[in-house]
């Protein structure tokens, strides 16, 4: 028997969607989720949970109940947080983007620039990196495709010392992503 409480980031459409985690838990046949709740971080209850559990980023997911019965789930969850002194599991280390409580800043936003060569028929499609990034949990806030022969493309080649195209350029708050 398990209760799941999701603490949501206010006004953060680009933040990681914790439904991914709760769906994963729901699909585990060894776990029986009996209740799911959603709480806004800025609500009175949300603020109390953030303070009491020392949560530094939202969204976060609180899991109460007999999670230790599903050892694989418990091991999986260790990657996302820790157990509070009252026994609740606090999944507060969810993937970026997230809202940093202390600063109020959304962390993990970045832009992807696909530098292509439209005149090269044998070159691979640089935008295929999109699915590879998605598989790694990297979803750019903005995406742009620029041809190497355009003025902007030539500028990027010079600015970053690009030696071959197609290439992918990432810029932004990438330091918060696991390496």
């Amino acid at each position: 028997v398990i209760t799941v409480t999701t603490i949501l980031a206010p006004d953060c459409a680009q933040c990681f969607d914790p439904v991914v985690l709760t769906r994963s838990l729901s699909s585990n046949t060894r776990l029986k989720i009996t209740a799911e709740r959603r709480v806004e971080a800025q609500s009175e209850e949300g603020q109390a949970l953030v303070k009491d559990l020392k949560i530094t980023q939202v969204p976060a997911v609180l899991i109460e109940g007999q999670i230790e019965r599903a050892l694989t789930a418990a091991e999986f969850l260790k990657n996302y947080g820790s157990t509070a002194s009252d026994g609740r599991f606090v999944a507060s280390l969810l993937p970026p983007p997230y809202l940093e409580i202390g600063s109020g800043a959304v962390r993990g936003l970045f832009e992807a620039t696909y530098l292509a060569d439209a005149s090269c028929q044998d070159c691979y499609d640089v935008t295929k990196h999109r699915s590879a990034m998605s598989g790694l949990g990297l979803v750019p806030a903005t995406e742009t495709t620029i041809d190497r022969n355009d003025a902007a493309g030539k500028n990027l080649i010079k600015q970053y010392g690009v030696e071959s195209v197609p290439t992918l350029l990432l810029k932004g708050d990438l330091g918060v992503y696991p390496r």
Side-chain angles (χ1 to χ4, degrees):
V1 178
I2 298 203
T3 300
V4 175
T5 302
T6 303
I7 302 173
L8 301 168
D11 303 320
C12 186
Q14 18 354 3
C15 284
F16 175 78
D17 186 355
V19 169
V20 173
L21 178 62
T22 57
R23 264 196 213 128
S24 176
L25 290 171
S26 297
S27 69
N28 186 326
T29 57
R30 297 175 73 187
L31 298 175
K32 183 178 180 184
I33 297 176
T34 56
E36 288 187 58
R37 299 181 331 114
R38 297 170 77 80
V39 176
E40 293 287 335
Q42 77 275 21
S43 71
E44 190 174 318
E45 180 183 5
Q47 289 177 12
L49 289 169
V50 165
K51 181 181 178 191
D52 294 345
L53 298 170
K54 298 175 178 65
I55 294 171
T56 60
Q57 65 187 54
V58 288
V61 178
L62 309 179
I63 303 163
E64 300 176 67
Q66 302 171 338
I67 193 144
E68 64 279 351
R69 286 189 173 186
L71 294 177
T72 55
E75 290 300 313
F76 166 76
L77 290 170
K78 284 181 184 176
N79 295 321
Y80 293 105
S82 60
T83 303
S85 60
D86 64 3
R88 287 184 283 188
F89 182 81
V90 183
S92 61
L93 302 175
L94 299 179
Y98 57 80
L99 179 72
E100 188 176 65
I101 297 292
S103 68
V106 175
R107 300 294 312 272
L109 298 176
F110 69 95
E111 61 186 65
T113 302
Y114 304 102
L115 189 57
D117 184 349
S119 66
C120 179
Q121 299 304 313
D122 295 328
C123 292
Y124 74 92
D125 179 2
V126 69
T127 60
K128 289 187 179 194
H129 286 290
R130 181 180 295 127
S131 62
M133 286 190 301
S134 178
L136 294 170
L138 296 164
V139 180
T142 60
E143 296 177 291
T144 308
T145 301
I146 298 175
D147 189 79
R148 68 180 289 263
N149 293 310
D150 295 344
K154 289 176 182 177
N155 186 38
L156 288 172
I157 290 169
K158 183 178 179 182
Q159 180 180 357
Y160 294 106
V162 175
E163 295 182 10
S164 62
V165 292
T167 206
L168 170 65
L169 301 168
L170 303 177
K171 180 180 176 183
D173 190 15
L174 295 161
V176 298
Y177 286 88
R179 304 214 184 270

